[in-house]
């Protein structure tokens, strides 16, 4: 997708331009380390895409787009500490290299630097963007806490799960689009429509993440295989497996999810139930459903169909992404 390459280059150039040269280097080098690994950088690209869709000035959107990228990476650093994750994007995590204290501090530093990147916006747009950005951060914290709660909570419903991933993942994608729209001075109706498009694409993205954790290619995914099973994460795969499992299989799931262990038998046992209940197929159908809902919001936006095409391509890309 040429449009994605173009936006990725804009973000990559901005990352290089705004590389941290501050001191102490023990704080800023880890921040540069995680930002430089890149990944797909989809969320800052979403800011730029929405700004373009509504005819805004991309130059005004570049620093807010980086703010989203810095904030996203702050959450990843802290997520990795909480999950005791050794890898991120196939590279050692910051706390693995530098210790938990540096991980916490460098994450905090990225979050605060993110706020500074909104400062050039005109006052009214600045206020609107900061309000969305802060609210998004709070929802993300709530989603993360729900995720932690689920590890020990006996009864987690499908609605609980959707709320958790909406807060933890969907809202950041949604807000990235909305911030781009606001910078371009889109009207309220269109800004909310692109928000809802992003929310459902973000939900699909997280379900795909859950799917790839178990069924993806570990080398391409860049994370520990079946990390969610090790961590007793009650993902959509687990919830659907429980719904469609036999009584005996449910008991086996309860047994494995009652203990946090690196025992390979646990992964093997849970994966076997996942495959028997065909949750891989069901998860892919659910991804498709949220993609369709998202695209229905896209169609409500008052913009030429030609300008909406990249959004459809991005959504479809997320459905078949491998990493």
């Amino acid at each position: 997708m040429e449009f994605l390459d173009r936006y990725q280059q804009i973000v990559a150039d901005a990352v290089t331009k705004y590389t941290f040269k501050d001191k102490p280097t023990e704080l800023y080098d880890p921040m540069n380390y995680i930002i430089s690994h890149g990944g797909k950088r989809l969320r800052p690209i979403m800011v730029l895409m929405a700004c373009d869709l509504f005819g805004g000035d991309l130059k005004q959107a570049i620093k807010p787009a980086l703010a989203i990228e810095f904030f996203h990476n702050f959450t990843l650093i802290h997520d990795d500490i909480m999950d005791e994750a050794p890898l991120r994007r196939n590279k050692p995590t910051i706390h693995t290299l530098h210790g938990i204290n540096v991980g916490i501090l460098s994450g905090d530093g990225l979050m605060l630097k993110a706020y500074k990147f909104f400062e050039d916006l005109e006052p009214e747009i600045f206020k609107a963007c900061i309000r969305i950005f802060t609210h998004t951060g709070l929802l993300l914290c709530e989603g993360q806490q729900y995720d932690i709660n689920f590890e020990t909570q006996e009864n987690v419903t499908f609605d609980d799960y959707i709320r958790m991933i909406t807060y933890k993942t969907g809202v950041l994608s949604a807000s990235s689009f909305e911030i781009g729209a606001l910078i371009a001075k889109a009207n309220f109706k269109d800004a909310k429509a692109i928000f809802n498009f992003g929310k459902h694409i973000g939900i699909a993205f997280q379900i795909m993440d859950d799917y790839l954790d178990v069924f993806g290619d570990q080398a391409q995914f860049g994370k520990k295989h079946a990390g969610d099973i090790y961590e007793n994460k009650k993902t959509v795969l687990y919830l659907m497996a429980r719904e469609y499992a036999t009584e005996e299989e449910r008991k086996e799931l309860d047994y494995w999810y009652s203990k946090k262990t690196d025992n390979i038998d646990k992964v093997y046992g849970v994966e076997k139930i996942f495959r028997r209940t065909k949750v891989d197929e069901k998860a892919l159908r659910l991804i498709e459903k949220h993609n369709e809902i998202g695209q229905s919001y896209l169609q409500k936006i008052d913009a030429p169909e030609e300008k909406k095409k990249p959004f459809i391509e991005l959504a479809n890309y997320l459905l078949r992404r491998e990493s």
Side-chain angles (χ1 to χ4, degrees):
M1 291 186 291
E2 284 181 23
F3 80 91
L4 206 55
D5 293 337
R6 181 171 70 88
Y7 288 125
Q8 280 178 331
Q9 192 57 55
I10 293 170
V11 175
D13 291 345
V15 166
T16 301
K17 181 179 178 180
Y18 294 104
T19 296
F20 301 118
K21 298 179 177 68
D22 315 66
K23 290 185 177 178
T25 56
E26 293 83 358
L27 172 67
Y28 289 101
D29 283 354
M31 291 160 65
N32 286 328
Y33 170 81
I34 192 165
I35 292 293
S36 68
H37 289 168
K40 294 291 188 280
R41 290 175 171 155
L42 291 173
R43 291 157 191 85
I45 285 170
M46 290 170 179
V47 177
L48 301 179
M49 285 177 68
C51 185
D52 253 352
L53 175 65
F54 297 108
D57 181 357
L58 271 193
K59 288 177 187 171
Q60 291 181 10
I62 287 170
K63 285 175 80 172
L66 272 193
I68 296 288
E69 180 68 356
F70 287 0
F71 179 81
H72 175 57
N73 280 277
F74 140 68
T75 67
L76 298 183
I77 294 171
H78 285 195
D79 264 2
D80 289 340
I81 292 170
M82 289 184 231
D83 293 343
E84 299 176 6
L87 290 177
R88 168 71 63 181
R89 298 166 185 152
N90 269 330
K91 303 275 187 184
T93 47
I94 285 177
H95 70 276
T96 302
L97 292 173
H98 302 284
I100 289 174
N101 290 346
V102 170
I104 292 169
L105 278 175
S106 58
D108 292 347
L110 271 178
M111 179 188 66
L112 294 166
K113 285 285 189 180
Y115 271 94
K116 289 185 67 63
F117 269 39
F118 287 102
E119 289 174 355
D120 293 347
L121 296 173
E122 57 187 75
E124 283 306 307
I125 295 175
F126 171 81
K127 280 166 62 179
C129 288
I130 287 295
R131 185 174 65 247
I132 291 164
F133 189 65
T134 303
H135 184 58
T136 298
L138 287 168
L139 287 180
L140 199 143
C141 290
E142 290 175 19
Q144 178 70 357
Q145 186 61 57
Y146 282 127
D147 196 17
I148 292 167
N149 291 354
F150 291 174
E151 290 178 29
T152 53
Q153 188 176 321
E154 281 191 24
N155 296 314
V156 177
T157 67
F158 184 75
D159 287 345
D160 290 337
Y161 166 84
I162 292 295
R163 177 179 60 181
M164 183 271 288
I165 65 168
T166 300
Y167 288 4
K168 191 175 172 181
T169 304
V171 169
L172 186 56
S173 299
S175 298
S176 299
F177 282 126
E178 187 175 16
I179 284 169
L182 290 175
I183 292 168
K185 299 181 179 176
N187 64 46
F188 178 80
K189 179 177 91 49
D190 284 344
K192 280 303 164 195
I194 200 69
F195 174 92
N196 282 313
F197 168 78
K199 182 176 80 170
H200 285 282
I201 298 310
I203 290 169
F205 187 93
Q206 183 58 51
I207 296 170
M208 180 62 87
D209 231 42
D210 290 353
Y211 169 87
L212 289 173
D213 180 76
V214 176
F215 299 107
D217 182 327
Q218 185 188 356
Q220 289 184 313
F221 197 34
K223 293 182 186 176
K224 178 179 178 179
H225 171 67
D228 289 341
I229 294 175
Y230 284 116
E231 294 294 322
N232 295 337
K233 294 280 176 82
K234 294 185 173 71
T235 66
V236 68
L237 302 178
Y238 167 85
L239 293 171
M240 289 194 297
R242 273 196 67 81
E243 184 181 347
Y244 292 99
T246 64
E247 190 60 37
E248 189 178 328
E249 286 168 338
R250 275 193 210 100
K251 283 178 183 172
E252 188 177 348
L253 279 174
D254 289 342
Y255 169 76
W256 288 123
Y257 276 75
S258 68
K259 50 182 71 186
K260 224 177 195 179
T261 172
D262 271 3
N263 186 338
I264 193 67
D265 290 339
K266 173 179 179 176
V267 174
Y268 177 72
V270 172
E271 275 192 32
K272 198 168 60 175
I273 295 169
F274 282 180
R275 291 184 191 281
R276 279 207 299 261
T277 51
K278 297 184 177 178
V279 296
D280 51 339
E281 297 171 17
K282 293 177 174 66
L284 291 174
R285 282 199 295 273
L286 194 57
I287 291 165
E288 182 60 42
K289 173 190 165 188
H290 281 282
N291 178 50
E292 288 171 1
I293 295 170
Q295 293 199 30
S296 73
Y297 279 106
L298 185 66
Q299 293 314 309
K300 295 176 183 177
I301 292 170
D302 183 18
E305 290 306 308
E306 192 62 31
K307 294 188 83 170
K308 294 179 187 177
K309 276 185 182 174
F311 293 82
I312 296 168
E313 286 182 43
L314 177 66
N316 290 335
Y317 163 74
L318 292 177
L319 292 183
R320 57 178 181 267
R321 76 188 182 102
E322 293 177 339
S323 61

